[in-house]
Amino acid sequence: MEAPAVFTEAEVYQRSFNPQEYLKEFYTLSDSQGQPNAFLMQSLRTLFKMFSLEGMKGDILIDIGCGPTIYQLLSACEHFQEIIALDYTDQNRRELERWLKKEAGAFDWQPVVKYVCELEGDREKWAEKEEKLRKKVKQVLKCDVTKANLADPVSLPPADCIVSTLCLEAACKDLATFRSVLRNIGALVKPGGHLVMLTVLQETYYGFGNQVFSCLYLERNMVEEAVEAAGFDVKFSEVQQYLIKDPRTDCTATLGLVARKRAITG
């Protein structure tokens, strides 16, 4: 695979992104050869670490660009009371709802949930965690991160925390858009609240099946500077190298980042 010649617009996702194929490709704990999914396991460990940091708690958590996935909420749901999940693509939101409502044919997240429970100290609590998460996700809404009011016409409540994983680098066509989207997102966070991000670095594409999607090339300093410019102080920033030769992507590392919204000073 190689990078598409043009930026993958939101409409392309809406028209042709296949959530079931995407989940099967990237979110099973081991591949068809029985090899462990190093990228996913590393992401889960990083999210566990970030949501275990001091002060990571509150009432409302908003997940921006949730896709059809729940992995990013498994550690988070222990620390926040209410979750609002946002995604642009109708079929992604439907896929997420299928799991939330326990519909037949929903993706089986059980191995992933068990892995996170193991990180938290008790693998046997997986069923309890699934129920907790289902109860806490109160809304699944359409959003467009490039709009000032992301979930227009719905007004979102001020968030104690925003989480965004593997979304903005696919949704933003250039660095200026990335910076402006972070300002939009930042405006939703209460002063003293947190932004939690998981971002791929140096990636220009990812693909699965016979589809390839563009990605904004980012370095760690670009992400940190954009977060700071959006009104946050970076509290945690950790790069994990992705050393596996993977034909589905050219990413070289992931960045886990936690930032705290600055208090408004007169």
Side-chain angles (χ1 to χ4, degrees):
M1 283 183 181
E2 56 185 49
V6 292
F7 170 68
T8 309
E9 298 284 351
E11 279 63 44
V12 177
Y13 277 89
Q14 174 68 355
R15 192 173 60 243
S16 60
F17 191 84
N18 184 322
Q20 290 93 354
E21 288 296 315
Y22 173 73
L23 290 169
K24 218 182 317 175
E25 187 70 55
F26 293 108
Y27 292 98
T28 51
L29 268 192
S30 54
D31 64 20
S32 52
Q33 279 81 49
Q35 292 301 308
N37 185 340
F39 185 89
L40 175 58
M41 289 157 99
Q42 181 54 61
S43 299
L44 294 169
R45 288 195 296 272
T46 299
L47 286 159
F48 168 66
K49 189 189 283 191
M50 293 193 293
F51 280 107
S52 302
L53 294 171
E54 195 183 337
M56 291 299 290
K57 59 183 190 299
D59 294 324
I60 294 174
L61 176 128
I62 300 176
D63 181 4
I64 294 192
C66 59
T69 66
I70 63 156
Y71 76 96
Q72 70 281 14
L73 299 172
L74 292 169
S75 293
C77 75
E78 301 298 331
H79 306 280
F80 296 89
Q81 300 315 307
E82 180 179 328
I83 296 169
I84 302 169
L86 307 179
D87 198 75
Y88 183 84
T89 311
D90 297 345
Q91 61 270 31
N92 280 347
R93 296 196 309 280
R94 269 200 306 275
E95 189 63 33
L96 177 57
E97 295 268 19
R98 285 170 76 189
W99 183 84
L100 291 169
K101 293 171 178 169
K102 298 188 181 176
E103 289 177 16
F107 186 71
D108 178 15
W109 284 101
Q110 200 181 112
V112 174
V113 179
K114 284 180 175 172
Y115 183 79
V116 174
C117 287
E118 206 171 291
L119 294 174
E120 292 172 357
D122 189 353
R123 186 182 169 84
E124 295 315 308
K125 285 196 165 163
W126 66 269
E128 197 180 306
K129 185 184 276 290
E130 285 195 348
E131 280 317 294
K132 183 181 287 185
L133 181 52
R134 285 188 171 105
K135 280 199 184 82
K136 287 189 175 183
V137 178
K138 305 293 188 193
Q139 298 180 83
V140 180
L141 302 171
K142 186 173 180 78
C143 82
D144 182 341
V145 293
T146 62
K147 300 278 192 325
N149 179 4
L150 275 66
D152 192 45
V154 179
S155 289
L156 295 167
D160 297 286
C161 182
I162 278 182
V163 61
S164 189
T165 55
L166 312 180
C167 162
L168 303 185
E169 59 272 40
C172 300
K173 66 176 185 294
D174 52 36
L175 193 55
T177 309
F178 182 73
R179 291 173 73 93
S180 120
V181 163
L182 277 169
R183 284 195 298 274
N184 291 346
I185 290 171
L188 296 171
V189 183
K190 294 175 185 173
H194 290 89
L195 171 68
V196 175
M197 289 177 73
L198 194 63
T199 304
V200 281
L201 300 180
Q202 300 182 341
E203 180 177 81
T204 63
Y205 71 89
Y206 73 96
F208 58 95
N210 55 3
Q211 288 190 292
V212 187
F213 299 90
S214 67
C215 213
L216 176 62
Y217 181 96
L218 292 168
E219 301 275 8
R220 178 189 200 158
N221 65 314
M222 295 174 178
V223 179
E224 290 179 355
E225 283 163 16
V227 167
E228 296 260 352
F232 291 83
D233 294 318
V234 174
K235 296 293 180 194
F236 173 92
S237 173
E238 184 178 272
V239 172
Q240 295 285 343
Q241 299 303 319
Y242 186 56
L243 302 170
I244 296 155
K245 276 276 171 253
D246 189 337
R248 302 168 302 181
T249 174
D250 60 350
C251 100
T252 61
T254 56
L255 170 67
L257 180 144
V258 178
R260 190 163 181 265
K261 178 92 171 266
R262 285 181 215 118
I264 300 158
T265 51

